[in-house]
Amino acid sequence: MAVPPTRIGLAGLAVMGQNLALNIAEKGFPISVYNRTTSKVDETVERAKKEGNLPVYGFHDPESFVNSIQKPRVIIMLVKAGAPVDQTIKTLSAYLEKGDCIVDGGNEWYENTERREKAVSENGFLYLGMGVSGGEEGARNGPSMMPGGSYEAYKNIEDILLKVAAQVRDSGPCVTYIGKGGSGNFVKMVHNGIEYGDMQLIAEAYDVLKSVGKLSNEELHGVFTEWNKGELESFLVEITADIFGIKDDKGDGHLVDKVLDKTGMKGTGKWTVQQAAELSVPSPTIESSLDARFLSGLKDERVEAAKVFKEGGFGDVLTDQTVDKKQLIDDVRKALYASKICSYAQGMNLIRAKSMEKGWGLKLGELARIWKGGCIIRAIFLDRIKQAYDRNAELANLLVDPEFAKEIIERQSAWRRVVCLSINSGISTPGMSASLAYFDSYRRERLPANLVQAQRDYFGAHTYERTDVEGSFHTEWFKIARQTKSNM
């Protein structure tokens, strides 16, 4: 039976690809699917039948796959970043025609997208690099999508994306045309960096409540469930509450306690930190979350170190002080919220710096809007961020938005109490501490950087500026110091 031309194609049927294909079909768009391993094609078509006879059509060879799609063709690739993307483009390009469009939906390095857009345009093809966030559930039921590259390509697929994206009441579908070049991939990369920060801060809140407050998993489940009804309402807080409620199916107790304390990563957090350094944008919360993952990876070394320091009187927690549980829970909630503001502020500043460097013209408030649903960092808090940029599109930092500034002032005493308590208890809270240091540095009119610059001029003649006179100056510090010493 001949299949009428489908509306769109999707190549790459791992978990994300399968789920996105089914989502597209469910929204009324017949879709062709292809995978190099043909069993994945059959599996996807079978799932489509089971999930409501969805219009998913499978193809075992690239030529019939490409030819089954209506022109101008749009094909989404969901394959592993790097060489597999180039290979897939090469395979598909043999059968594509001018005006056809390729969309890379993976977590790709933004410069690779720019290189590929340029390369395929020489054959007359259009190209989009589209960040997709929300994991497998988001892909199936509505992700947040960040397409960047050819605007013409975006218009070819806009009707599909608007229906497939997560839908948020009062603010619409969680997708928008991000901007030119690799901007979609860059924004998704920073989204993941913010996600690293968010997850680390939540883990620290858990550590303080469990290690110092001695909260049980049942109590932690209750606390996070309660937090998810207020200012911290978010996907990550919600799933954290769920995790504390799940019992171990292979033994006694809760599953979370049996999970090895060693964190994996895919690389987007590292890219975010590298870009922050490249653009001279301070991002200490995100950086500390990456370092925390690196440290978690040193499991064997940490086990040995624990033995060394146990002999020196160091237990897991240094003090066994009695704390007021209710007060601690409230303090940690406030510290988590204030730290979170810093993490998002750093991410937004990084996006703005790159946008200015590349001339992308990105709208930060619009990014906050499309992150409100579907994605991993979705949170009620993003409404506040959008409002902050609506009030002032040129806002230098979220910390100085009047609303956020007021909230930080109200929470800073609790924040300091939590960080001090953690230090005194020997519990590391690198994310909360880095956030607090970022806030304390940013709010001070004068920092000790004058001494660092004096040191640089002393040993390297790097010059310095003065507070009272215009221009650059150099002082023969060594000679003056030597004369002073000899005259003593």
Side-chain angles (χ1 to χ4, degrees):
M1 188 184 77
V3 175
T6 58
R7 175 68 178 81
I8 188 169
L10 191 144
L13 296 170
V15 176
M16 286 290 284
Q18 274 194 27
N19 282 302
L20 191 62
L22 294 168
N23 182 353
I24 290 168
E26 194 170 61
K27 298 303 187 295
F29 301 100
I31 183 169
S32 300
V33 295
Y34 165 74
N35 196 80
R36 216 170 49 166
T37 308
T38 55
S39 60
K40 288 281 183 193
V41 176
D42 302 336
E43 191 185 301
T44 307
V45 171
E46 199 51 43
R47 265 191 75 188
K49 279 183 192 152
K50 281 183 188 159
E51 294 184 24
N53 271 330
L54 302 173
V56 174
Y57 303 94
F59 297 87
H60 287 182
D61 70 284
E63 186 175 6
S64 54
F65 165 65
V66 171
N67 290 334
S68 71
I69 306 161
Q70 74 177 45
K71 300 174 185 177
R73 300 179 183 93
V74 176
I75 297 176
I76 298 175
M77 300 180 297
L78 272 164
V79 297
K80 197 176 173 190
V85 176
D86 291 309
Q87 187 52 54
T88 306
I89 292 170
K90 191 178 172 191
T91 301
L92 298 175
S93 294
Y95 311 105
L96 294 174
E97 298 171 27
K98 280 188 176 174
D100 288 349
C101 167
I102 302 171
V103 182
D104 178 8
N107 275 333
E108 188 54 273
W109 175 239
Y110 81 98
E111 288 179 336
N112 285 343
T113 294
E114 297 189 334
R115 166 178 63 77
R116 289 173 186 138
E117 186 185 3
K118 192 163 175 281
V120 304
S121 69
E122 288 167 12
N123 294 321
F125 310 147
L126 306 176
Y127 200 81
L128 277 179
M130 181 172 74
V132 179
S133 178
E136 55 184 284
E137 193 208 332
R140 181 66 184 84
N141 300 310
S144 172
M145 293 181 284
M146 296 150 251
S150 158
Y151 184 66
E152 189 186 340
Y154 173 71
K155 292 312 278 184
N156 284 351
I157 195 178
E158 184 180 40
D159 61 328
I160 297 176
L161 298 183
L162 289 173
K163 284 197 174 172
V164 165
Q167 309 290 319
V168 175
R169 202 161 47 86
D170 305 331
S171 65
C174 293
V175 64
T176 190
Y177 174 69
I178 300 291
K180 293 180 292 189
S183 59
N185 292 115
F186 190 88
V187 165
K188 173 61 166 56
M189 176 196 80
V190 177
H191 160 287
N192 286 20
I194 294 170
E195 179 188 306
Y196 272 51
D198 242 354
M199 292 169 78
Q200 177 61 26
L201 292 169
I202 291 169
E204 291 173 19
Y206 153 62
D207 197 8
V208 174
L209 292 175
K210 181 182 172 142
S211 303
V212 185
K214 304 287 190 281
L215 270 73
S216 65
N217 286 319
E218 285 83 1
E219 287 173 311
L220 287 164
H221 173 70
V223 166
F224 278 86
T225 301
E226 197 54 41
W227 283 359
N228 199 44
K229 295 174 186 169
E231 63 195 7
L232 290 170
E233 184 192 320
S234 62
F235 172 69
L236 285 170
V237 167
E238 180 188 346
I239 68 167
T240 302
D242 289 347
I243 287 166
F244 291 129
I246 292 172
K247 295 283 178 69
D248 183 12
D249 60 348
K250 291 182 173 56
D252 296 335
H254 288 76
L255 182 56
V256 68
D257 296 325
K258 310 285 172 63
V259 176
L260 184 68
D261 54 323
K262 197 172 173 180
T263 310
M265 66 192 94
K266 292 276 181 70
T268 44
K270 184 156 78 171
W271 290 347
T272 305
V273 170
Q274 287 168 336
Q275 279 295 295
E278 195 79 27
L279 292 159
S280 304
V281 175
S283 303
T285 312
I286 298 171
E287 286 164 24
S288 69
S289 68
L290 185 65
D291 283 340
R293 292 196 183 196
F294 293 152
L295 269 162
S296 80
L298 305 176
K299 176 66 177 177
D300 295 343
E301 290 180 41
R302 289 189 288 111
V303 168
E304 290 309 309
K307 289 176 192 166
V308 171
F309 290 103
K310 204 164 196 173
E311 287 165 16
F314 284 80
D316 221 30
V317 180
L318 297 188
T319 55
D320 205 13
Q321 54 197 308
T322 310
V323 291
D324 178 334
K325 260 192 196 182
K326 197 175 171 206
Q327 174 76 51
L328 181 65
I329 291 165
D330 195 50
D331 279 356
V332 172
R333 174 181 61 79
K334 289 173 178 169
L336 178 55
Y337 185 76
S339 299
K340 192 179 166 87
I341 295 172
C342 294
S343 187
Y344 281 72
Q346 292 158 28
M348 289 301 194
N349 285 356
L350 180 51
I351 291 171
R352 184 179 52 205
K354 194 67 180 183
S355 176
M356 286 165 71
E357 181 195 78
K358 302 285 284 183
W360 285 337
L362 304 185
K363 296 178 177 65
L364 300 182
E366 184 65 356
L367 299 184
R369 182 191 71 75
I370 67 165
W371 287 345
K372 278 171 60 182
C375 71
I376 303 301
I377 64 170
R378 63 183 181 263
I380 198 166
F381 167 81
L382 283 153
D383 251 341
R384 321 288 306 282
I385 294 179
K386 184 178 185 310
Q387 288 159 15
Y389 287 115
D390 284 349
R391 281 191 287 273
N392 179 7
E394 303 304 313
L395 187 65
N397 192 305
L398 282 176
L399 299 182
V400 294
D401 169 72
E403 292 295 314
F404 280 127
K406 181 169 172 284
E407 290 185 330
I408 282 187
I409 290 164
E410 287 166 358
R411 288 161 180 75
Q412 59 123 9
S413 296
W415 195 6
R416 294 181 197 284
R417 280 196 296 273
V418 170
V419 171
C420 289
L421 176 67
S422 305
I423 291 168
N424 290 331
S425 304
I427 301 292
S428 60
T429 49
M432 287 186 183
S433 303
S435 293
L436 183 55
Y438 176 75
F439 166 65
D440 279 337
S441 294
Y442 193 73
R443 67 172 178 78
R444 287 184 68 196
E445 190 178 331
R446 190 168 171 84
L447 290 170
N450 54 316
L451 178 59
V452 175
Q453 194 59 19
Q455 290 169 337
R456 292 182 75 243
D457 189 50
Y458 189 125
F459 66 69
H462 293 294
T463 75
Y464 57 89
E465 293 173 81
R466 293 180 60 100
T467 57
D468 52 352
V469 187
E470 290 283 322
S472 287
F473 298 87
H474 169 58
T475 295
E476 298 285 351
W477 303 87
F478 180 68
K479 283 182 186 171
I480 297 168
R482 196 166 53 181
Q483 283 166 8
T484 307
K485 284 172 189 168
S486 63
N487 292 337
M488 284 172 75

